[in-house]
Amino acid sequence: MGENARRERALMAAGVGAAAGLGVLGAGALGIGHHYATVLLDPARVVAFPERVLRADADSVTLATSRLVRQPGVWGLRWPEGLAVIGPILSDDRHGVRRALLGGPVPREGAAVIDAGPFDPDPAARGLPFTEVAIPTPLGPAPAWHVPGGSDTWVIAVHGRGGRRREALRILPALHRLGLPTLVISYRNDDDAPPSPDGHFHLGDSEWEDLEAAVRWACAQGARRIVVVAWSMGAAITGAFLDRSAAADLVVAQVWDAPLVDWRATLRRQARNRLLPPQLVGIATLSARRRIGIDFDRFDLLRTPPRRRPPTLIVHSTPDTAVPIGPSRALAAAGPGLGWPIELVEVAGVEHTAAWNADPDRYEQLVTDFLDDRL
């Protein structure tokens, strides 16, 4: 048993002791930790609309002031009936934050949400040819978009926890310009993919098998080398694949956007977001381990790096409150000693997986230059 696992058991024992000695207080801590694990493993998606459109016309949208509304760059603005693309801030004062309307319908006044994905519903929204294919995963067929290209090096795009394939629509044109066929996959518990037998996310611990199935499908279509592009938990899925799959040696490069490379560090950050004491993280991780069998030690890639370590570009925003940048910095710094070529690019001013949104041209150039150099 690893040191972290022993610490989790000690925390659980302390919680049980507290429950015996302090009654409701200790039992409440155990209950909160268990609930935190339940939220973590629940694949249900809830769409909230926390922002508010105050005014809109054919040229601009004015939104009620908030931290997310003030993020720089290009964003989607979603409301229950539609999606528009908004751009630079034109004014920011007591009347609200006015941003350029770059595309889509004029939003109606009322509830909305800032969306890192400004495009819907599929690669046709980016003017790209594609076909919908079914990947034969261990749990059944899972849909994927195949965007053709002339190379025998294929890109496989892996979205994050609770995300959707549309996450990849931002970077698809840049990959297409490189001539790389791209497979944008779904995996278990996605909307149209098979559910996991227990109905839980497994946080990468079983989802990697669906990535492996996608790699094998691509090889059957002529792929000889693989590039992985992954967001958030997509990196945890990829890390497990690189460590456990016989097909991992096909991966010659990868791009990780806001990667989850240490589950415990991420859970500590999110506990702070919820104003939960850090001691509850140990209870939550042990509860998750008992339910899905995950070994969180294997998902600390600094201490347990994967067997296959291809050249990796990490792009991570410094203010990320969902997946903290600290583990990415530590992994990049340790890369030379691990025999793992890692380039880290930090982006200011935007939240989780929003580095493209901050400056699309710069982001696409970073990815293009990295892949040109490696391929």
Side-chain angles (χ1 to χ4, degrees), residues 173-310:
L175 300 173
H176 190 64
R177 287 192 293 270
L178 290 172
L180 302 174
T182 302
L183 194 62
V184 184
I185 69 169
S186 60
Y187 50 81
R188 58 195 67 191
N189 295 312
D190 279 354
D191 292 338
D192 299 321
S196 57
D198 60 7
H200 294 318
F201 279 133
H202 282 229
L203 310 181
D205 201 37
S206 62
E207 290 86 352
W208 71 268
E209 296 175 353
D210 301 337
L211 172 56
E212 180 182 62
V215 170
R216 296 197 183 284
W217 187 92
C219 290
Q221 313 307 310
R224 296 292 175 264
R225 301 188 298 174
I226 298 294
V227 172
V228 175
V229 178
W231 293 261
S232 193
M233 193 182 84
I237 294 170
T238 306
F241 166 81
L242 292 173
D243 192 52
R244 307 179 201 182
S245 175
D249 290 340
L250 294 168
V251 178
V252 295
Q254 57 187 2
V255 177
W256 281 356
D257 189 318
L260 202 160
V261 298
D262 182 345
W263 258 118
R264 287 190 182 89
T266 298
L267 295 177
R268 287 193 294 270
R269 169 71 257 188
Q270 295 191 4
R272 288 197 297 273
N273 294 346
R274 295 172 169 84
L275 304 179
L276 298 175
Q279 293 83 353
L280 292 180
V281 173
I283 297 172
T285 53
L286 185 55
S287 176
R289 180 170 184 160
R290 286 178 170 175
R291 280 190 259 181
I292 65 172
I294 187 172
D295 180 355
F296 283 97
D297 288 342
R298 299 184 76 178
F299 287 88
D300 179 346
L301 300 190
L302 175 62
R303 291 175 174 81
T304 56
R307 176 185 62 81
R308 174 71 171 168
R309 303 165 201 172

Side-chain angles (χ1 to χ4, degrees), residues 35-366:
H35 175 71
Y36 186 21
T38 299
V39 172
L40 176 66
L41 303 180
D42 184 3
R45 294 174 171 89
V46 178
V47 180
F49 298 93
E51 313 299 345
R52 186 165 187 82
V53 176
L54 302 178
R55 294 173 296 282
D57 57 35
D59 299 314
S60 67
V61 179
T62 301
L63 298 143
T65 301
S66 76
R67 179 178 64 89
L68 296 181
V69 161
R70 284 185 163 131
Q71 294 178 104
V74 177
W75 295 84
L77 181 69
R78 187 176 295 277
W79 61 101
E81 300 83 21
L83 174 70
V85 184
I86 59 174
I89 294 173
L90 305 176
S91 64
D92 182 357
D93 55 32
R94 63 186 180 86
H95 300 294
V97 178
R98 181 169 167 261
R99 304 190 69 131
L101 179 61
L102 302 181
V106 176
R108 62 165 177 75
E109 294 181 9
V113 62
I114 295 293
D115 193 329
F119 310 108
D120 254 346
D122 55 41
R126 306 303 319 270
L128 297 176
F130 77 101
T131 54
E132 182 101 8
V133 300
I135 304 300
T137 76
L139 297 182
W145 295 323
H146 173 220
V147 179
S151 175
D152 63 3
T153 299
W154 283 46
V155 176
I156 297 184
V158 189
H159 68 74
R161 176 185 176 277
R164 291 175 171 84
R165 285 181 285 167
R166 61 188 294 273
E167 193 159 33
L169 295 179
R170 291 170 292 177
I171 193 61
L172 272 184
L175 300 173
H176 190 64
R177 287 192 293 270
L178 290 172
L180 302 174
T182 302
L183 194 62
V184 184
I185 69 169
S186 60
Y187 50 81
R188 58 195 67 191
N189 295 312
D190 279 354
D191 292 338
D192 299 321
S196 57
D198 60 7
H200 294 318
F201 279 133
H202 282 229
L203 310 181
D205 201 37
S206 62
E207 290 86 352
W208 71 268
E209 296 175 353
D210 301 337
L211 172 56
E212 180 182 62
V215 170
R216 296 197 183 284
W217 187 92
C219 290
Q221 313 307 310
R224 296 292 175 264
R225 301 188 298 174
I226 298 294
V227 172
V228 175
V229 178
W231 293 261
S232 193
M233 193 182 84
I237 294 170
T238 306
F241 166 81
L242 292 173
D243 192 52
R244 307 179 201 182
S245 175
D249 290 340
L250 294 168
V251 178
V252 295
Q254 57 187 2
V255 177
W256 281 356
D257 189 318
L260 202 160
V261 298
D262 182 345
W263 258 118
R264 287 190 182 89
T266 298
L267 295 177
R268 287 193 294 270
R269 169 71 257 188
Q270 295 191 4
R272 288 197 297 273
N273 294 346
R274 295 172 169 84
L275 304 179
L276 298 175
Q279 293 83 353
L280 292 180
V281 173
I283 297 172
T285 53
L286 185 55
S287 176
R289 180 170 184 160
R290 286 178 170 175
R291 280 190 259 181
I292 65 172
I294 187 172
D295 180 355
F296 283 97
D297 288 342
R298 299 184 76 178
F299 287 88
D300 179 346
L301 300 190
L302 175 62
R303 291 175 174 81
T304 56
R307 176 185 62 81
R308 174 71 171 168
R309 303 165 201 172
T312 301
L313 171 65
I314 294 177
V315 187
H316 208 139
S317 60
T318 54
D320 193 329
T321 60
V323 175
I325 193 173
S328 287
R329 288 171 171 163
L331 186 62
L338 299 173
W340 191 349
I342 299 175
E343 177 184 347
L344 171 64
V345 177
E346 300 186 12
V347 176
V350 292
E351 259 292 350
H352 186 51
T353 66
W356 179 93
N357 303 81
D359 188 337
D361 290 340
R362 179 183 180 231
Y363 185 98
E364 293 176 11
Q365 193 63 55
L366 285 170

